[in-house]
Each structure stands twice: as structure tokens, then as C-alpha cells.
Amino acid sequence: MTASRRPMHHDILITGGTLVDPQNGLHGAYDVGIRDGKISYVGAASAGDIPAGPPAAARTIDATGLIITPGFIDLHSHAQNIEGHRLQAQDGVTTTLELECGVTPLPPTVEAAEAQGRPLNFGYSAGWLHARAIVMENMDAEQIAALPQLPLDAFAAVQSLENWKQPADAAQIDRIVELLDAQLAAGAIGIGLLLGYAPLTGADELTAVARLAKSYRRPLIVHVRWGSGASHGTPAGVQELIDLSRSTGVAVHICHISSSNSSAVPRVAQVLADAHAEGLPVTFESYPFAYSSTVIGADFLDPQKMSAQGTPADSVTYLRTGERPATYQRLAELRAQDPGGLCLADSYPDSEQGPDGLLVRALTLPHSVFASDAMPTKPTSEGPAAHPRSTSTFVRALAWLHRDLGVLPLAEVVARSTTLPAQVLRGCAPAFAAKGHLGVGTDADIAVFALAELEPAARAVPVQAARGMRYVFVAGEPVVAEGRTVESVQPGRALLAE
């Protein structure tokens, strides 16, 4: 950064880089100005050579050879603490949202995050599974207050309980809906529906929850129900959600399509294309890795179900120790000992991970959003452990799918990381009109990176930050500067629906 000698009209002026802003149709040499946390100027770089060129700034950043984009919007991150935010900042993320799991109750979680401070913008959905546990386990106020503050930790804490996994009766459904209603009234961005973790949930409950979300004009963000069998030529879980959207009008955002439907990509692709052609408000996301991460006590990792599906026990890795259980019996033991413990689960065999394989096909489905499903790190004897998607989803999408394979243009990768996720939420949360692009007057959330230098993390233990981000700005404040995390600033703010 160098001080300008001209009168100061911007706080920061980024010059010399290639701006990629899909929403505004910009891809070329532009200067970008920041003032008071907003974009104050976007102009062709050549304009700086004439009297009408960009005004001077207090600081100028030379971005020659670098790419400038809107900051990435992650719709699906469980890493909602300061450490998680800092790791995601190195992935170019400026807004990180806990929408799949969500949280109930919402206000104390938002208040705690605001009191502690956050580097990135953040927000939450109403947590259906949390509400379900509160109701079906008959939790009192003291038990609710004792749940861990981090939403995913609260989710893990109830894994050893059993009542919330059972079908709900009419009175319980009414109480669950009442709890969710209160969270939506408090500003929750939709309803997070972890249906895959409570697959015995009945159609009456789903319909009631969908109608509630529709009444607030907010989406359901869903982890699909997993199971055998298919409907209309596609896995039943995806079809169920499309039918739900059709019957209630609710907007549905389907999480991690690539990992949840790895064995049925062609059929899922067709049914999603049909839903889009029909005009249904159904969106979906993926992350660019061949394996997933969850808690080892998840219903779909039940040894009997895995055996019936022909999935070997050693396709699961218990992160605390790195063990791959050799038998279903050993997997059952680990589930009993630590049902909330994090694990990895293989989604694609090596034969499907090449440029022409099912993984790439899933990741390049039209209209798909990139989202990380980031997990908070856990300590091990070898260092912090987490799925590398927690630190490197967007960098890997840029480096692998665009730079190395060439299967997506740069502007397309950027759109799936900025414009498309913002569009998912603009109908219910007005703050997103000022995010996902760099029009003058919008929020100064910006990523600046060296495409050739991008290096995603490759290991879960010890997990490391991605490399290649030179600057990341949140509301005009650098949370990454010259490639290093800036720990002295916390410009993130809570984003609530209205």
C-alpha cells in the first residue's frame, strides 16, 4: 500500500487488477474504490490516465496480475466461530451462513456472536432439528440454555438422545412449528431442515414446516432424507423435496447434491433440470471434494444400512484418531462411544474423480451454487482436524475446476460463489441486494487473489488454510492483507431476514 498525493476521495483504491463481476457483466481491467465500507467507484483502468480518472485515495493497492471479485458467500458453514471465520477468509469468503443446521433459539446465538465479534458477515436459519430435540426430549429452559453455543456442537450434543429421531404426533408438530415461528420472527434466514438425520419424520410435519416457511417467504435449506428406493426415476429424497415445493410453493435449497447423490448423478441432474424448467423455486449446492464429513452417529452411517447398500465400513474415517473401522462391528462401537464425533465418509470411488467422472459432472450441473459445509476444527495429536472443504472450497473450485481442468469459465466459478448464492436469499433478506456483486453503493466485500498461486488444503489432519488470497475485505476492512490473516479487525455483522 502506498499513500496517494492527490486529494483523498476514497479510503482505498484497488488498481491494476482484472475485475470479474458476473452480475454487472464486468470482466476486464477496472479500478475499484472503497469508502465508508461501500464500493465508491468502479471504472476502467485506462480512465486513470485522463483528468476525469478515478479520484485519489488514502491508500492504493496495486493488484497487477491479480483477480478482483466480489467476496464469496457461503450458504452452508458450520464453522461459526472466530477460528472458522479466519480460515474461511483465506478461502475468499466474506459472508458465512449457518443455514443447513441453523439454530434454535436464535437470539442468544446472535447476541453471543456479536458480543464476541466476527471477522465475516454471518447469519442463521431456524434450526428444525434443534426445535425437534427441544420438543421431543421435553427440554426445560435450563437444559436449553446448557446446549453448546456453536450450532453444530449443539447438534452433536443431542446425538446420544433418541426421542427426537422418532415420528412426531400432531401436538408435537404444533410445538415444533411454534418454536420455528418464533425464530423466523426474530430474523432467521429460512428453516434449516436436517431431514437426513431424522428420516422417520412424517409428511404431515414436513408440510407444516414448509407452509410456515412459505408464509414468511423464506426457504427451506435441506439435507435430503437418505434411503433406498426411487420415485419417478430419481432418488426419493430429492423427488420428495421437489414435490413439497410444488404442493406448497415453498422455496427449497438442497444441500451438497454432489455428496448426497453420488450414486445417482445422471438421474438427479435430469429431475433438477425438469424442476427448473417447470419454474419451481428449487436451488442446490455442492462442494468440490470426493468425500464428505458428518458426525459418526448419523442415521445414514448405521452399519446395517451401510451393509445393505454395499458400502464398506472402512469408507468411514473417525477424525479423532484417524481410524478407518475394519468391520461393521467396530463402526458400531465407535458410534456408541462418540455419536457426535466428526468423521469423513467416501462419496466417490477413484474411478469417478477424473475430469470426465461423475464428481465433475455433479459439480458442473447448471445453476448449482458452491457452498462449503465447513466444519469447526477439532484437536488431535497431529494438529487441528477438519474436512479440507472447511478451508478451501472456493479456492479448490477456482484452482481445480477452472484453472487446472478448464471445465468451468472463471466468470462461472465466480458467479456460483457470489451472484447465485446472493440470489437464493434476496427475496427474504434485503441485505443480500448489496452482496454478491460490486456495483457502486454495494457493500465492500471483496476478494483479491493470484489465480496461478491458489493452493487448496489437501489433508484433513492437520487441516491448513488455503493459499493464494492476497486481500479479502469485509465492509471495506481487510481481514486478509498481503496473504496474511489480520487478527485485529472484526468487521462482520449479523445478517437477518426482515
Side-chain angles (χ1 to χ4, degrees):
M1 296 184 182
T2 59
S4 171
R5 297 180 181 178
R6 298 182 63 187
M8 293 181 291
H9 295 276
H10 301 312
D11 299 324
I12 298 172
L13 189 67
I14 306 171
T15 66
T18 299
L19 175 64
V20 182
D21 182 354
Q23 178 168 315
N24 293 309
L26 301 178
H27 192 152
Y30 289 85
D31 296 328
V32 178
I34 301 170
R35 183 175 181 180
D36 296 331
K38 303 290 185 180
I39 301 298
S40 53
Y41 176 87
V42 177
S46 60
D49 298 328
I50 59 177
R59 297 181 293 174
T60 299
I61 294 175
D62 182 1
T64 300
L66 305 179
I67 308 295
I68 306 166
T69 73
F72 303 148
I73 299 170
D74 191 352
L75 298 177
H76 185 168
S77 172
H78 307 298
Q80 294 297 327
N81 53 18
I82 291 176
E83 179 193 24
H85 279 214
R86 286 174 177 162
L87 288 170
Q88 287 209 278
Q90 291 283 359
D91 200 18
V93 175
T94 54
T95 296
T96 173
L97 305 169
E98 168 60 279
L99 299 186
E100 182 212 35
C101 179
V103 63
T104 295
L106 173 72
T109 299
V110 173
E111 291 166 7
E114 289 181 325
Q116 189 179 33
R118 290 291 185 267
L120 309 182
N121 300 308
F122 62 97
Y124 308 92
S125 68
W128 165 80
L129 191 145
H130 297 88
R132 213 169 193 272
I134 289 169
V135 169
M136 300 186 70
E137 302 292 345
N138 292 313
M139 292 187 184
D140 58 28
E142 185 176 344
Q143 290 172 310
I144 295 170
L147 289 172
Q149 188 263 323
L150 190 66
L152 190 70
D153 287 349
F155 160 70
V158 303
Q159 291 305 304
S160 60
L161 305 177
E162 293 296 330
N163 291 335
W164 64 266
K165 302 174 186 178
Q166 305 307 313
D169 62 28
Q172 290 170 326
I173 292 172
D174 288 345
R175 291 172 60 202
I176 292 167
V177 169
E178 183 180 359
L179 261 179
L180 294 174
D181 193 334
Q183 312 319 310
L184 294 173
I189 304 174
I191 298 175
L193 201 65
L194 286 168
L195 190 56
Y197 293 85
L200 298 180
T201 301
D204 289 349
E205 183 176 349
L206 283 188
T207 300
V209 172
R211 287 175 175 165
L212 174 65
K214 171 63 176 176
S215 72
Y216 278 87
R217 294 187 295 181
R218 298 183 199 170
L220 299 179
I221 304 92
V222 190
H223 181 133
V224 300
R225 191 196 313 258
W226 288 11
S228 59
S231 173
H232 307 299
T234 187
V238 173
Q239 188 64 52
E240 176 181 42
L241 298 177
I242 290 172
D243 292 343
L244 186 66
S245 178
R246 184 184 293 112
S247 64
T248 65
V250 71
V252 174
H253 181 75
I254 305 174
C255 296
H256 41 57
I257 278 285
S258 60
S259 59
S260 294
N261 296 276
S262 57
S263 62
V265 171
R267 288 179 290 159
V268 168
Q270 186 58 58
V271 78
L272 289 171
D274 292 345
H276 187 262
E278 189 179 339
L280 294 175
V282 176
T283 55
F284 54 98
E285 67 181 48
S286 287
Y287 51 79
F289 290 89
Y291 55 99
S292 63
S293 182
T294 185
V295 293
I296 200 166
D299 177 84
F300 45 83
L301 295 182
D302 179 274
Q304 291 184 343
K305 294 183 178 181
M306 290 179 63
S307 177
Q309 295 166 0
T311 304
D314 65 1
S315 66
V316 175
T317 303
Y318 180 51
L319 263 183
R320 189 182 301 276
T321 62
E323 178 184 353
R324 283 183 174 262
T327 65
Y328 294 119
Q329 180 179 353
R330 177 55 181 159
L331 175 59
E333 291 172 356
L334 290 172
R335 286 165 53 86
Q337 292 168 8
D338 186 16
L342 291 183
C343 68
L344 307 177
D346 297 339
S347 301
Y348 290 83
D350 291 344
S351 60
E352 295 294 351
Q353 296 179 31
D356 299 319
L358 283 178
L359 176 58
V360 170
R361 181 170 178 180
L363 295 171
T364 56
L365 291 176
H367 315 295
S368 181
V369 170
F370 288 125
S372 73
D373 198 359
M375 307 292 275
T377 63
K378 297 297 181 182
T380 74
S381 60
E382 298 181 36
H387 193 300
R389 72 192 186 197
S390 306
T391 69
S392 303
T393 286
F394 300 93
V395 164
R396 179 164 166 80
L398 288 162
W400 183 45
L401 297 175
H402 168 65
R403 184 191 67 196
D404 299 342
L405 295 185
V407 296
L408 287 176
L410 176 59
E412 180 70 14
V413 176
V414 174
R416 291 171 181 237
S417 308
T418 58
T419 308
L420 295 185
Q423 289 174 349
V424 170
L425 300 178
R426 283 177 185 162
C428 68
F432 286 90
K435 296 193 180 297
H437 66 110
L438 296 179
V440 172
T442 60
D443 297 335
D445 298 342
I446 306 172
V448 182
F449 56 88
L451 183 61
E453 297 175 8
L454 292 178
E455 184 179 339
R459 300 175 59 190
V461 185
V463 72
Q464 296 179 329
R467 298 180 182 177
M469 286 290 155
R470 295 289 185 84
Y471 291 90
V472 177
F473 296 90
V474 174
E477 292 281 348
V479 294
V480 174
E482 298 179 355
R484 294 187 293 273
T485 298
V486 180
E487 297 185 358
S488 59
V489 298
Q490 294 184 331
R493 64 184 181 91
L495 303 177
L496 301 175
E498 298 179 6

